[in-house]
Amino acid sequence: MRTTVGIIGAGPAGLLLARLLHAAGIDSVVLESRDRAYVEHRQRAGILEQGTVDVLRAAGAGRRMDREGLRHDGIELRFAGQRHRVDFPGLTGGRSVTVYAQTEVCKDLIALQLEEGGPLLFEAEALAVEGAEGGRPRVPFRYQGREDVLECEYVVGCDGFWGVSRKAFPAAASRVFERSYPYAWLGVLADVAPSHDELVYARHDRGFALLSMRSPSVSRLYLQVPAGTEAGEWGDEEMWAELERRLETDDAWTLDRGPITQKSVTPMRSFVHEPMRHGRLFLAGDAAHIVPPTGAKGLNLAVGDVVTFVRALVHERETGSPDLLDTYSATCLHRVWQAERFSYDMTTLLHRAPDATVFDGRLQLARLERIASSRAAETDLAEAYTGFPLDRPARGRE
């Protein structure tokens, strides 16, 4: 089997990449190790930056998102019983975010790819990436009980942290930067209308809490818990009571309860692999970087990566110059590190570390009060939350 771009992984990064390549007249093949049902139902991110929304619309994948997604023009910060709303459009020149689950993004992109795009093979396990240094890399894969080889001009690894793509990078050429956090998020889905019309980020002495949503009738809520916590350790009543404590305010706001339909635990980590390119192998999304979920950056960073790659490949096709492909890693990493910085800042601003002192707690409150009282500080948060530009030029070195 031969193609121009071999894509490993059918998460949002791989699927959007295939869609953008199709629109540019460049053929591709997508290999996904899981079945379609798994891809369409795995719960992940739900906040789309303005740039991500714009890209999905331009790719023809925005119709259902525009109909069912929830535009949010701000978030609420809670601390010391107080509430402070951050007005995104007023601080960023009109930008906002959209609540639309990753599962729905994948469903939309899968339907488009199967109807209009190139081959999308589910239950096709990529075994390795070979020959990335040469002009024709190969991806051996297993599909329908037999082994085959996908020959490509380029390979883009969108296969997540545990995939084979990053393993093809020589150890001597790889640098890894990472940090693990001593806490995790216990998340629940509940069949109850959200108790607030925008996301609420709460800093409390007992730990962080987040009020989010998946739809006008389904709430998504999170509690900070110790790393290693199992979802079954928390009963429903205990969960609701703790959410009420951490989200409490000095006014008459109340948290509405409903049946909890799902519980899960999300570990917290920061991870960056440099570089994001080796020869004709390019990494995108979680294969190259992971952020703690506090900043809502994971899916959006993946979108930035694939947009950068497609622009670079189209530029080479139109001009014959590989300059943008050569700077792919540096261009992406500039945005990645800004997202890592923002996600780290939001995480340490709102979570209570196990060894936190009273002094640490007062510093958190001082930082939150600064955001609430300074337009400059508030603007910095709003600009980062709604998204860093997808077309910012590269800086620094690979």
Side-chain angles (χ1 to χ4, degrees), residues 313-358:
L313 189 56
V314 169
H315 177 75
E316 183 192 48
R317 290 289 192 270
E318 292 178 346
T319 69
S321 170
D323 290 353
L324 296 186
L325 286 172
D326 291 342
T327 58
Y328 168 82
S329 181
T331 300
C332 290
L333 285 169
H334 177 78
R335 191 168 185 267
V336 166
W337 276 111
Q338 285 301 315
E340 292 283 355
R341 185 271 307 170
F342 174 67
S343 298
Y344 173 83
D345 285 350
M346 286 286 283
T347 300
T348 56
L349 173 68
L350 296 164
H351 292 71
R352 179 177 175 82
D355 59 351
T357 64
V358 174

mmCIF file of all heavy atoms in Angstrom, residues 313-358:
data_model
loop_
_atom_site.group_PDB
_atom_site.id
_atom_site.type_symbol
_atom_site.label_atom_id
_atom_site.label_comp_id
_atom_site.label_asym_id
_atom_site.label_seq_id
_atom_site.Cartn_x
_atom_site.Cartn_y
_atom_site.Cartn_z
ATOM 1 N N LEU A 313 3.554 21.406 4.232
ATOM 2 C CA LEU A 313 3.566 20.488 3.099
ATOM 3 C C LEU A 313 3.006 21.157 1.843
ATOM 4 O O LEU A 313 3.547 20.985 0.742
ATOM 5 C CB LEU A 313 2.761 19.233 3.444
ATOM 6 C CG LEU A 313 2.837 18.077 2.446
ATOM 7 C CD1 LEU A 313 4.278 17.651 2.208
ATOM 8 C CD2 LEU A 313 2.013 16.893 2.942
ATOM 9 N N VAL A 314 1.936 21.918 1.991
ATOM 10 C CA VAL A 314 1.375 22.646 0.854
ATOM 11 C C VAL A 314 2.393 23.663 0.326
ATOM 12 O O VAL A 314 2.555 23.831 -0.894
ATOM 13 C CB VAL A 314 0.061 23.346 1.256
ATOM 14 C CG1 VAL A 314 -0.389 24.326 0.170
ATOM 15 C CG2 VAL A 314 -1.023 22.315 1.527
ATOM 16 N N HIS A 315 3.091 24.320 1.240
ATOM 17 C CA HIS A 315 4.126 25.282 0.835
ATOM 18 C C HIS A 315 5.204 24.588 0.006
ATOM 19 O O HIS A 315 5.644 25.135 -1.020
ATOM 20 C CB HIS A 315 4.740 25.918 2.081
ATOM 21 C CG HIS A 315 5.853 26.873 1.802
ATOM 22 N ND1 HIS A 315 5.641 28.141 1.311
ATOM 23 C CD2 HIS A 315 7.203 26.744 1.945
ATOM 24 C CE1 HIS A 315 6.803 28.754 1.160
ATOM 25 N NE2 HIS A 315 7.765 27.933 1.541
ATOM 26 N N GLU A 316 5.608 23.414 0.426
ATOM 27 C CA GLU A 316 6.622 22.687 -0.343
ATOM 28 C C GLU A 316 6.087 22.308 -1.722
ATOM 29 O O GLU A 316 6.792 22.425 -2.728
ATOM 30 C CB GLU A 316 7.055 21.429 0.399
ATOM 31 C CG GLU A 316 8.175 20.681 -0.325
ATOM 32 C CD GLU A 316 8.409 19.299 0.242
ATOM 33 O OE1 GLU A 316 7.425 18.557 0.428
ATOM 34 O OE2 GLU A 316 9.582 18.958 0.484
ATOM 35 N N ARG A 317 4.844 21.856 -1.781
ATOM 36 C CA ARG A 317 4.259 21.476 -3.064
ATOM 37 C C ARG A 317 4.178 22.677 -4.013
ATOM 38 O O ARG A 317 4.380 22.549 -5.211
ATOM 39 C CB ARG A 317 2.847 20.904 -2.848
ATOM 40 C CG ARG A 317 2.821 19.544 -2.173
ATOM 41 C CD ARG A 317 3.345 18.463 -3.130
ATOM 42 N NE ARG A 317 3.077 17.135 -2.629
ATOM 43 C CZ ARG A 317 3.889 16.442 -1.837
ATOM 44 N NH1 ARG A 317 5.021 16.986 -1.435
ATOM 45 N NH2 ARG A 317 3.579 15.223 -1.448
ATOM 46 N N GLU A 318 3.852 23.843 -3.471
ATOM 47 C CA GLU A 318 3.636 25.012 -4.320
ATOM 48 C C GLU A 318 4.926 25.731 -4.690
ATOM 49 O O GLU A 318 5.009 26.349 -5.765
ATOM 50 C CB GLU A 318 2.701 25.989 -3.603
ATOM 51 C CG GLU A 318 1.275 25.459 -3.453
ATOM 52 C CD GLU A 318 0.373 26.417 -2.702
ATOM 53 O OE1 GLU A 318 0.915 27.369 -2.067
ATOM 54 O OE2 GLU A 318 -0.865 26.231 -2.739
ATOM 55 N N THR A 319 5.940 25.688 -3.822
ATOM 56 C CA THR A 319 7.161 26.464 -4.049
ATOM 57 C C THR A 319 8.400 25.611 -4.259
ATOM 58 O O THR A 319 9.424 26.120 -4.720
ATOM 59 C CB THR A 319 7.422 27.405 -2.864
ATOM 60 O OG1 THR A 319 7.772 26.614 -1.706
ATOM 61 C CG2 THR A 319 6.193 28.251 -2.548
ATOM 62 N N GLY A 320 8.320 24.338 -3.872
ATOM 63 C CA GLY A 320 9.495 23.484 -3.926
ATOM 64 C C GLY A 320 10.431 23.660 -2.750
ATOM 65 O O GLY A 320 11.461 22.988 -2.652
ATOM 66 N N SER A 321 10.077 24.552 -1.834
ATOM 67 C CA SER A 321 10.940 24.831 -0.690
ATOM 68 C C SER A 321 10.512 24.021 0.526
ATOM 69 O O SER A 321 9.341 24.053 0.912
ATOM 70 C CB SER A 321 10.889 26.318 -0.337
ATOM 71 O OG SER A 321 11.538 26.555 0.907
ATOM 72 N N PRO A 322 11.465 23.328 1.174
ATOM 73 C CA PRO A 322 11.142 22.576 2.393
ATOM 74 C C PRO A 322 11.303 23.405 3.661
ATOM 75 O O PRO A 322 11.285 22.858 4.764
ATOM 76 C CB PRO A 322 12.172 21.443 2.363
ATOM 77 C CG PRO A 322 13.390 22.094 1.769
ATOM 78 C CD PRO A 322 12.863 23.096 0.747
ATOM 79 N N ASP A 323 11.420 24.717 3.524
ATOM 80 C CA ASP A 323 11.739 25.549 4.682
ATOM 81 C C ASP A 323 10.752 25.375 5.825
ATOM 82 O O ASP A 323 11.147 25.266 6.992
ATOM 83 C CB ASP A 323 11.782 27.029 4.272
ATOM 84 C CG ASP A 323 12.981 27.364 3.390
ATOM 85 O OD1 ASP A 323 13.835 26.472 3.214
ATOM 86 O OD2 ASP A 323 13.047 28.492 2.879
ATOM 87 N N LEU A 324 9.456 25.370 5.523
ATOM 88 C CA LEU A 324 8.470 25.264 6.599
ATOM 89 C C LEU A 324 8.445 23.872 7.219
ATOM 90 O O LEU A 324 8.188 23.724 8.420
ATOM 91 C CB LEU A 324 7.086 25.646 6.081
ATOM 92 C CG LEU A 324 6.911 27.090 5.621
ATOM 93 C CD1 LEU A 324 5.455 27.376 5.260
ATOM 94 C CD2 LEU A 324 7.396 28.071 6.684
ATOM 95 N N LEU A 325 8.708 22.847 6.420
ATOM 96 C CA LEU A 325 8.836 21.503 6.997
ATOM 97 C C LEU A 325 10.055 21.436 7.905
ATOM 98 O O LEU A 325 10.025 20.802 8.963
ATOM 99 C CB LEU A 325 8.937 20.461 5.878
ATOM 100 C CG LEU A 325 7.649 20.156 5.116
ATOM 101 C CD1 LEU A 325 7.941 19.268 3.910
ATOM 102 C CD2 LEU A 325 6.614 19.487 6.010
ATOM 103 N N ASP A 326 11.130 22.103 7.492
ATOM 104 C CA ASP A 326 12.351 22.079 8.296
ATOM 105 C C ASP A 326 12.166 22.782 9.635
ATOM 106 O O ASP A 326 12.854 22.449 10.608
ATOM 107 C CB ASP A 326 13.494 22.744 7.527
ATOM 108 C CG ASP A 326 13.952 21.915 6.325
ATOM 109 O OD1 ASP A 326 13.636 20.708 6.285
ATOM 110 O OD2 ASP A 326 14.618 22.475 5.431
ATOM 111 N N THR A 327 11.268 23.754 9.690
ATOM 112 C CA THR A 327 11.038 24.478 10.952
ATOM 113 C C THR A 327 9.767 24.013 11.667
ATOM 114 O O THR A 327 9.322 24.665 12.617
ATOM 115 C CB THR A 327 10.957 25.996 10.699
ATOM 116 O OG1 THR A 327 9.895 26.271 9.769
ATOM 117 C CG2 THR A 327 12.272 26.530 10.158
ATOM 118 N N TYR A 328 9.192 22.887 11.215
ATOM 119 C CA TYR A 328 7.963 22.376 11.835
ATOM 120 C C TYR A 328 8.120 22.223 13.345
ATOM 121 O O TYR A 328 7.277 22.689 14.128
ATOM 122 C CB TYR A 328 7.589 21.026 11.209
ATOM 123 C CG TYR A 328 6.515 20.274 11.976
ATOM 124 C CD1 TYR A 328 5.180 20.575 11.802
ATOM 125 C CD2 TYR A 328 6.855 19.261 12.884
ATOM 126 C CE1 TYR A 328 4.181 19.896 12.507
ATOM 127 C CE2 TYR A 328 5.872 18.576 13.587
ATOM 128 C CZ TYR A 328 4.546 18.901 13.399
ATOM 129 O OH TYR A 328 3.580 18.229 14.110
ATOM 130 N N SER A 329 9.167 21.577 13.759
ATOM 131 C CA SER A 329 9.337 21.308 15.190
ATOM 132 C C SER A 329 9.452 22.601 15.987
ATOM 133 O O SER A 329 8.769 22.784 17.006
ATOM 134 C CB SER A 329 10.578 20.434 15.412
ATOM 135 O OG SER A 329 10.742 20.134 16.788
ATOM 136 N N ALA A 330 10.292 23.522 15.526
ATOM 137 C CA ALA A 330 10.476 24.776 16.259
ATOM 138 C C ALA A 330 9.194 25.590 16.293
ATOM 139 O O ALA A 330 8.856 26.198 17.320
ATOM 140 C CB ALA A 330 11.602 25.593 15.617
ATOM 141 N N THR A 331 8.455 25.598 15.187
ATOM 142 C CA THR A 331 7.195 26.352 15.142
ATOM 143 C C THR A 331 6.196 25.781 16.132
ATOM 144 O O THR A 331 5.556 26.515 16.892
ATOM 145 C CB THR A 331 6.606 26.322 13.722
ATOM 146 O OG1 THR A 331 7.532 26.913 12.810
ATOM 147 C CG2 THR A 331 5.286 27.070 13.663
ATOM 148 N N CYS A 332 6.035 24.456 16.122
ATOM 149 C CA CYS A 332 5.092 23.828 17.055
ATOM 150 C C CYS A 332 5.530 24.002 18.501
ATOM 151 O O CYS A 332 4.698 24.309 19.378
ATOM 152 C CB CYS A 332 4.956 22.341 16.732
ATOM 153 S SG CYS A 332 4.097 21.984 15.177
ATOM 154 N N LEU A 333 6.817 23.814 18.765
ATOM 155 C CA LEU A 333 7.290 23.849 20.147
ATOM 156 C C LEU A 333 7.149 25.236 20.769
ATOM 157 O O LEU A 333 6.961 25.351 21.987
ATOM 158 C CB LEU A 333 8.739 23.372 20.224
ATOM 159 C CG LEU A 333 8.918 21.862 20.066
ATOM 160 C CD1 LEU A 333 10.389 21.503 19.886
ATOM 161 C CD2 LEU A 333 8.341 21.120 21.276
ATOM 162 N N HIS A 334 7.219 26.262 19.957
ATOM 163 C CA HIS A 334 7.000 27.603 20.510
ATOM 164 C C HIS A 334 5.606 27.689 21.127
ATOM 165 O O HIS A 334 5.428 28.195 22.247
ATOM 166 C CB HIS A 334 7.160 28.659 19.408
ATOM 167 C CG HIS A 334 6.885 30.052 19.887
ATOM 168 N ND1 HIS A 334 7.792 30.779 20.613
ATOM 169 C CD2 HIS A 334 5.785 30.847 19.763
ATOM 170 C CE1 HIS A 334 7.268 31.960 20.919
ATOM 171 N NE2 HIS A 334 6.052 32.026 20.406
ATOM 172 N N ARG A 335 4.618 27.178 20.428
ATOM 173 C CA ARG A 335 3.241 27.192 20.929
ATOM 174 C C ARG A 335 3.069 26.190 22.069
ATOM 175 O O ARG A 335 2.381 26.458 23.055
ATOM 176 C CB ARG A 335 2.293 26.870 19.777
ATOM 177 C CG ARG A 335 0.825 27.099 20.079
ATOM 178 C CD ARG A 335 -0.001 27.027 18.797
ATOM 179 N NE ARG A 335 -1.395 27.365 19.046
ATOM 180 C CZ ARG A 335 -2.344 26.472 19.324
ATOM 181 N NH1 ARG A 335 -2.037 25.189 19.371
ATOM 182 N NH2 ARG A 335 -3.584 26.840 19.530
ATOM 183 N N VAL A 336 3.698 25.022 21.927
ATOM 184 C CA VAL A 336 3.590 23.981 22.949
ATOM 185 C C VAL A 336 4.084 24.493 24.299
ATOM 186 O O VAL A 336 3.417 24.321 25.330
ATOM 187 C CB VAL A 336 4.370 22.724 22.518
ATOM 188 C CG1 VAL A 336 4.568 21.770 23.700
ATOM 189 C CG2 VAL A 336 3.653 22.014 21.380
ATOM 190 N N TRP A 337 5.239 25.146 24.305
ATOM 191 C CA TRP A 337 5.789 25.574 25.584
ATOM 192 C C TRP A 337 4.970 26.700 26.214
ATOM 193 O O TRP A 337 4.871 26.797 27.445
ATOM 194 C CB TRP A 337 7.262 25.972 25.435
ATOM 195 C CG TRP A 337 8.158 24.776 25.501
ATOM 196 C CD1 TRP A 337 8.892 24.220 24.496
ATOM 197 C CD2 TRP A 337 8.388 23.963 26.659
ATOM 198 N NE1 TRP A 337 9.573 23.108 24.952
ATOM 199 C CE2 TRP A 337 9.285 22.933 26.269
ATOM 200 C CE3 TRP A 337 7.934 23.988 27.973
ATOM 201 C CZ2 TRP A 337 9.721 21.944 27.154
ATOM 202 C CZ3 TRP A 337 8.373 23.007 28.862
ATOM 203 C CH2 TRP A 337 9.260 22.014 28.451
ATOM 204 N N GLN A 338 4.351 27.535 25.388
ATOM 205 C CA GLN A 338 3.451 28.533 25.965
ATOM 206 C C GLN A 338 2.232 27.863 26.598
ATOM 207 O O GLN A 338 1.756 28.280 27.659
ATOM 208 C CB GLN A 338 3.015 29.536 24.894
ATOM 209 C CG GLN A 338 4.094 30.531 24.523
ATOM 210 C CD GLN A 338 4.560 31.350 25.726
ATOM 211 O OE1 GLN A 338 3.757 31.844 26.518
ATOM 212 N NE2 GLN A 338 5.869 31.492 25.868
ATOM 213 N N ALA A 339 1.728 26.814 25.954
ATOM 214 C CA ALA A 339 0.599 26.076 26.531
ATOM 215 C C ALA A 339 1.014 25.323 27.787
ATOM 216 O O ALA A 339 0.248 25.239 28.757
ATOM 217 C CB ALA A 339 0.026 25.108 25.498
ATOM 218 N N GLU A 340 2.225 24.764 27.793
ATOM 219 C CA GLU A 340 2.725 24.104 28.999
ATOM 220 C C GLU A 340 2.842 25.103 30.144
ATOM 221 O O GLU A 340 2.463 24.804 31.282
ATOM 222 C CB GLU A 340 4.096 23.472 28.715
ATOM 223 C CG GLU A 340 4.079 22.288 27.760
ATOM 224 C CD GLU A 340 3.583 21.002 28.396
ATOM 225 O OE1 GLU A 340 3.327 20.984 29.620
ATOM 226 O OE2 GLU A 340 3.463 20.001 27.655
ATOM 227 N N ARG A 341 3.353 26.283 29.827
ATOM 228 C CA ARG A 341 3.478 27.323 30.851
ATOM 229 C C ARG A 341 2.128 27.706 31.415
ATOM 230 O O ARG A 341 1.933 27.776 32.640
ATOM 231 C CB ARG A 341 4.182 28.536 30.221
ATOM 232 C CG ARG A 341 4.513 29.672 31.177
ATOM 233 C CD ARG A 341 3.401 30.701 31.319
ATOM 234 N NE ARG A 341 2.929 31.234 30.060
ATOM 235 C CZ ARG A 341 1.858 31.988 29.935
ATOM 236 N NH1 ARG A 341 1.104 32.267 31.002
ATOM 237 N NH2 ARG A 341 1.465 32.437 28.754
ATOM 238 N N PHE A 342 1.153 27.941 30.532
ATOM 239 C CA PHE A 342 -0.175 28.344 30.993
ATOM 240 C C PHE A 342 -0.839 27.243 31.808
ATOM 241 O O PHE A 342 -1.430 27.498 32.863
ATOM 242 C CB PHE A 342 -1.043 28.710 29.792
ATOM 243 C CG PHE A 342 -2.464 29.009 30.154
ATOM 244 C CD1 PHE A 342 -2.778 30.129 30.907
ATOM 245 C CD2 PHE A 342 -3.495 28.160 29.761
ATOM 246 C CE1 PHE A 342 -4.094 30.414 31.251
ATOM 247 C CE2 PHE A 342 -4.809 28.438 30.094
ATOM 248 C CZ PHE A 342 -5.108 29.562 30.848
ATOM 249 N N SER A 343 -0.747 26.008 31.333
ATOM 250 C CA SER A 343 -1.366 24.895 32.048
ATOM 251 C C SER A 343 -0.731 24.696 33.418
ATOM 252 O O SER A 343 -1.423 24.411 34.408
ATOM 253 C CB SER A 343 -1.259 23.612 31.218
ATOM 254 O OG SER A 343 -1.947 23.753 29.996
ATOM 255 N N TYR A 344 0.581 24.845 33.500
ATOM 256 C CA TYR A 344 1.280 24.747 34.786
ATOM 257 C C TYR A 344 0.837 25.873 35.714
ATOM 258 O O TYR A 344 0.564 25.658 36.907
ATOM 259 C CB TYR A 344 2.790 24.793 34.567
ATOM 260 C CG TYR A 344 3.588 24.858 35.847
ATOM 261 C CD1 TYR A 344 3.876 23.702 36.569
ATOM 262 C CD2 TYR A 344 4.044 26.081 36.340
ATOM 263 C CE1 TYR A 344 4.604 23.759 37.757
ATOM 264 C CE2 TYR A 344 4.768 26.155 37.526
ATOM 265 C CZ TYR A 344 5.044 24.992 38.224
ATOM 266 O OH TYR A 344 5.751 25.052 39.394
ATOM 267 N N ASP A 345 0.746 27.101 35.171
ATOM 268 C CA ASP A 345 0.329 28.233 35.999
ATOM 269 C C ASP A 345 -1.078 28.026 36.544
ATOM 270 O O ASP A 345 -1.344 28.275 37.727
ATOM 271 C CB ASP A 345 0.371 29.525 35.172
ATOM 272 C CG ASP A 345 1.786 30.034 34.935
ATOM 273 O OD1 ASP A 345 2.720 29.495 35.559
ATOM 274 O OD2 ASP A 345 1.953 30.956 34.118
ATOM 275 N N MET A 346 -1.995 27.584 35.682
ATOM 276 C CA MET A 346 -3.369 27.357 36.131
ATOM 277 C C MET A 346 -3.429 26.238 37.166
ATOM 278 O O MET A 346 -4.192 26.311 38.139
ATOM 279 C CB MET A 346 -4.254 27.011 34.940
ATOM 280 C CG MET A 346 -4.583 28.189 34.048
ATOM 281 S SD MET A 346 -5.799 29.318 34.776
ATOM 282 C CE MET A 346 -7.319 28.389 34.518
ATOM 283 N N THR A 347 -2.637 25.206 36.963
ATOM 284 C CA THR A 347 -2.641 24.067 37.881
ATOM 285 C C THR A 347 -2.133 24.468 39.259
ATOM 286 O O THR A 347 -2.753 24.174 40.287
ATOM 287 C CB THR A 347 -1.795 22.920 37.305
ATOM 288 O OG1 THR A 347 -2.348 22.529 36.040
ATOM 289 C CG2 THR A 347 -1.777 21.722 38.239
ATOM 290 N N THR A 348 -0.990 25.143 39.293
ATOM 291 C CA THR A 348 -0.416 25.528 40.587
ATOM 292 C C THR A 348 -1.196 26.675 41.230
ATOM 293 O O THR A 348 -1.140 26.848 42.455
ATOM 294 C CB THR A 348 1.058 25.928 40.428
ATOM 295 O OG1 THR A 348 1.177 26.991 39.459
ATOM 296 C CG2 THR A 348 1.882 24.728 39.947
ATOM 297 N N LEU A 349 -1.925 27.433 40.435
ATOM 298 C CA LEU A 349 -2.757 28.507 40.977
ATOM 299 C C LEU A 349 -3.943 27.960 41.757
ATOM 300 O O LEU A 349 -4.361 28.549 42.766
ATOM 301 C CB LEU A 349 -3.261 29.384 39.823
ATOM 302 C CG LEU A 349 -4.287 30.470 40.140
ATOM 303 C CD1 LEU A 349 -3.654 31.577 40.983
ATOM 304 C CD2 LEU A 349 -4.862 31.051 38.847
ATOM 305 N N LEU A 350 -4.492 26.828 41.323
ATOM 306 C CA LEU A 350 -5.791 26.374 41.819
ATOM 307 C C LEU A 350 -5.736 25.105 42.672
ATOM 308 O O LEU A 350 -6.678 24.825 43.413
ATOM 309 C CB LEU A 350 -6.730 26.141 40.636
ATOM 310 C CG LEU A 350 -7.070 27.401 39.817
ATOM 311 C CD1 LEU A 350 -7.663 27.013 38.470
ATOM 312 C CD2 LEU A 350 -8.008 28.309 40.589
ATOM 313 N N HIS A 351 -4.684 24.308 42.556
ATOM 314 C CA HIS A 351 -4.605 23.042 43.290
ATOM 315 C C HIS A 351 -3.811 23.206 44.583
ATOM 316 O O HIS A 351 -2.859 23.996 44.648
ATOM 317 C CB HIS A 351 -3.945 21.961 42.429
ATOM 318 C CG HIS A 351 -4.779 21.542 41.251
ATOM 319 N ND1 HIS A 351 -4.985 22.340 40.165
ATOM 320 C CD2 HIS A 351 -5.466 20.396 41.011
ATOM 321 C CE1 HIS A 351 -5.751 21.713 39.295
ATOM 322 N NE2 HIS A 351 -6.062 20.532 39.781
ATOM 323 N N ARG A 352 -4.183 22.427 45.553
ATOM 324 C CA ARG A 352 -3.462 22.426 46.819
ATOM 325 C C ARG A 352 -2.505 21.243 46.852
ATOM 326 O O ARG A 352 -2.935 20.079 46.770
ATOM 327 C CB ARG A 352 -4.431 22.341 47.999
ATOM 328 C CG ARG A 352 -3.739 22.322 49.360
ATOM 329 C CD ARG A 352 -4.737 22.303 50.507
ATOM 330 N NE ARG A 352 -4.065 22.163 51.786
ATOM 331 C CZ ARG A 352 -3.503 23.164 52.462
ATOM 332 N NH1 ARG A 352 -3.561 24.386 51.966
ATOM 333 N NH2 ARG A 352 -2.909 22.958 53.620
ATOM 334 N N ALA A 353 -1.213 21.526 46.951
ATOM 335 C CA ALA A 353 -0.214 20.461 47.026
ATOM 336 C C ALA A 353 -0.293 19.773 48.382
ATOM 337 O O ALA A 353 -0.680 20.395 49.382
ATOM 338 C CB ALA A 353 1.180 21.031 46.806
ATOM 339 N N PRO A 354 0.054 18.467 48.448
ATOM 340 C CA PRO A 354 -0.031 17.743 49.729
ATOM 341 C C PRO A 354 0.807 18.375 50.829
ATOM 342 O O PRO A 354 0.438 18.295 52.015
ATOM 343 C CB PRO A 354 0.485 16.346 49.368
ATOM 344 C CG PRO A 354 0.264 16.219 47.901
ATOM 345 C CD PRO A 354 0.449 17.588 47.333
ATOM 346 N N ASP A 355 1.923 19.013 50.450
ATOM 347 C CA ASP A 355 2.808 19.618 51.455
ATOM 348 C C ASP A 355 2.646 21.139 51.515
ATOM 349 O O ASP A 355 3.523 21.854 52.004
ATOM 350 C CB ASP A 355 4.267 19.265 51.161
ATOM 351 C CG ASP A 355 4.708 19.738 49.772
ATOM 352 O OD1 ASP A 355 3.846 20.180 48.979
ATOM 353 O OD2 ASP A 355 5.924 19.653 49.477
ATOM 354 N N ALA A 356 1.524 21.659 51.024
ATOM 355 C CA ALA A 356 1.311 23.107 50.983
ATOM 356 C C ALA A 356 1.279 23.700 52.392
ATOM 357 O O ALA A 356 0.713 23.115 53.316
ATOM 358 C CB ALA A 356 0.019 23.423 50.255
ATOM 359 N N THR A 357 1.882 24.866 52.522
ATOM 360 C CA THR A 357 1.888 25.586 53.791
ATOM 361 C C THR A 357 0.841 26.705 53.743
ATOM 362 O O THR A 357 0.267 27.006 52.696
ATOM 363 C CB THR A 357 3.269 26.204 54.052
ATOM 364 O OG1 THR A 357 3.535 27.192 53.034
ATOM 365 C CG2 THR A 357 4.356 25.132 54.006
ATOM 366 N N VAL A 358 0.614 27.343 54.873
ATOM 367 C CA VAL A 358 -0.283 28.493 54.913
ATOM 368 C C VAL A 358 0.235 29.596 54.000
ATOM 369 O O VAL A 358 -0.535 30.287 53.320
ATOM 370 C CB VAL A 358 -0.431 29.005 56.360
ATOM 371 C CG1 VAL A 358 -1.257 30.291 56.392
ATOM 372 C CG2 VAL A 358 -1.057 27.933 57.243
#
